Amino acid sequence: MTYEELKKEMKKYPDTMNNMERMKLYAAGMEVDRIPFSLAGNDSYASVYGYTQKEYRESLDLQFDVANRAKEDFCGSGMFASTSLNLRGVGEALGSKAVYPDNDFDHLTDFILKDYSQLDQLVFDPETNPFLQKKIRTAKEILNRQGGKGMVITGGAGPMTTATSIRDANDFMRDLVKDPENAKRLLDFSVDCTLKWIRYNKEQFDSIAVSLADPATSTNLLSPKLYQKFSKPATHKLLQGIKEITGSIPGIHICGRSKRLWPDLIDLGFPSFSVDNCEDLSELKETVGNHMKISGNVPPVSVLKNGTIDDVIASVIDCLKKGSDNPMGFSLAIGCQVPIGTPRENLEAYIYAARRYGRGAKKGHLCRGLYEEGLV
């Protein structure tokens, strides 16, 4: 399909509900216009509108511009206030060195914890830390521009990932075997920092939602045995703390291989799980489908960024066929973060396929669009 053909076809399948209406009705077991989906964070859309990441990071006006345009063009959620620590925020707040490229996502290049004798001297104080206070000020400014109303998205990373923002991942992975007591100390400290941040946000704002991702807990890096010994108890502590603060447990995204951990995710009580594209949605549904909502998992690089329009459509159809009848619900999503430079036409192809083949979505049932198009 050419881009011109795609634009014409898209007009045949408009949304007939807004995001809030759709999510409420879908959660209640009602049929909705099309499958709920997520696509990209507003930072990923910056390149679509000709902005670099540096330009996007440094201008709140530009962030509002991108958010508003993406809401219109890509069914985005619009501008929202976020104080999320993401994957690296705890480490950066403590002194790990962060690099912010002109046109790429940020990353850490040096880690504050060289030796465990330093651990007791590390101080994570949301009230005085400049990095953390900037997040609070920015969120308040966003809320002020929006009339003082709105929810703040906060949270960050799971314990393993937070630990690897404080101490080099290679060193920390060795610690799990050679220095397990100190590794546990660091995990406990990581959980305490994240909970301190969430609690501080709860005190600062009327309403908060928490998001979590934990790529370092993937079995690409961690054996199931080490996961159960280290990551699982630390995650349990984190989730119980979040529930105490907010009243609920958030869902989670894990990059990389996670299949051997799925029973543990059920045991921990996660209500939803976003899976990487390296795992199979059918297998995920069979294992966790009666316990949690699932989402996924169009490949972000090989398909969404580097594939054709037809590749994107085919991948969306595959995800819908495998996951849309999940008993606890399903939302279409990308397997991981949308890469900078993803073509606009592929983003639109994703939306088109969700609207056409995902129409008539109902929790626990394959989308009606799949039947009407003769695909199942």
Side-chain angles (χ1 to χ4, degrees), residues 56-242:
Y56 179 84
R57 283 191 296 263
E58 294 179 354
S59 172
L60 198 56
D61 288 338
L62 194 151
Q63 291 172 31
F64 268 94
D65 177 58
V66 170
N68 291 333
R69 292 166 74 177
K71 184 176 182 179
E72 178 69 25
D73 295 342
F74 304 112
C75 305
S77 57
M79 190 63 177
F80 58 88
S82 173
T83 64
S84 176
L85 296 170
N86 300 315
L87 304 181
R88 295 166 286 277
V90 170
E92 185 171 356
L94 292 169
S96 293
K97 184 178 179 181
V99 175
Y100 290 85
D102 284 353
N103 204 27
D104 202 353
F105 298 122
D106 59 285
H107 58 277
L108 299 177
T109 59
D110 191 32
F111 301 86
I112 188 65
L113 189 66
K114 310 296 185 187
D115 185 274
Y116 281 102
S117 63
Q118 302 171 275
L119 184 56
D120 290 337
Q121 279 71 55
L122 295 181
V123 177
F124 184 88
D125 185 359
E127 292 187 355
T128 61
N129 187 280
F131 172 77
L132 299 176
Q133 278 297 306
K134 182 179 179 182
K135 286 183 173 290
I136 297 295
R137 288 196 304 273
T138 300
K140 288 182 177 179
E141 183 175 351
I142 292 170
L143 292 177
N144 184 57
R145 290 193 186 195
Q146 296 174 324
K149 298 180 180 180
M151 179 180 290
V152 171
I153 309 296
T154 190
M160 291 292 297
T161 302
T162 299
T164 60
S165 76
I166 303 169
R167 183 162 171 80
D168 180 84
N170 291 326
D171 293 336
F172 181 64
M173 291 301 165
R174 283 194 293 268
D175 298 338
L176 297 175
V177 177
K178 296 186 176 182
D179 195 2
E181 292 307 312
N182 275 322
K184 288 181 179 179
R185 286 179 62 215
L186 179 54
L187 285 169
D188 283 340
F189 177 73
S190 298
V191 170
D192 290 343
C193 290
T194 303
L195 291 177
K196 187 179 291 186
W197 181 240
I198 294 171
R199 187 174 292 108
Y200 184 72
N201 273 263
K202 183 65 174 175
E203 294 168 356
Q204 293 293 310
F205 303 103
D206 291 335
S207 180
I208 64 171
V210 176
S211 64
L212 286 179
D214 201 6
T217 209
S218 160
T219 53
N220 293 69
L221 299 174
L222 203 64
S223 71
K225 182 177 179 180
L226 288 176
Y227 173 85
Q228 294 191 354
K229 182 177 180 180
F230 292 97
S231 184
K232 186 176 181 179
T235 302
H236 176 75
K237 178 183 175 182
L238 176 63
L239 295 182
Q240 293 309 301
I242 293 173

Side-chain angles (χ1 to χ4, degrees), residues 1 6 11 90 128 148 212 262 298 346:
M1 181 182 294
L6 174 66
K11 295 178 181 179
V90 170
T128 61
L212 286 179
W262 295 344
V298 173
N346 283 2

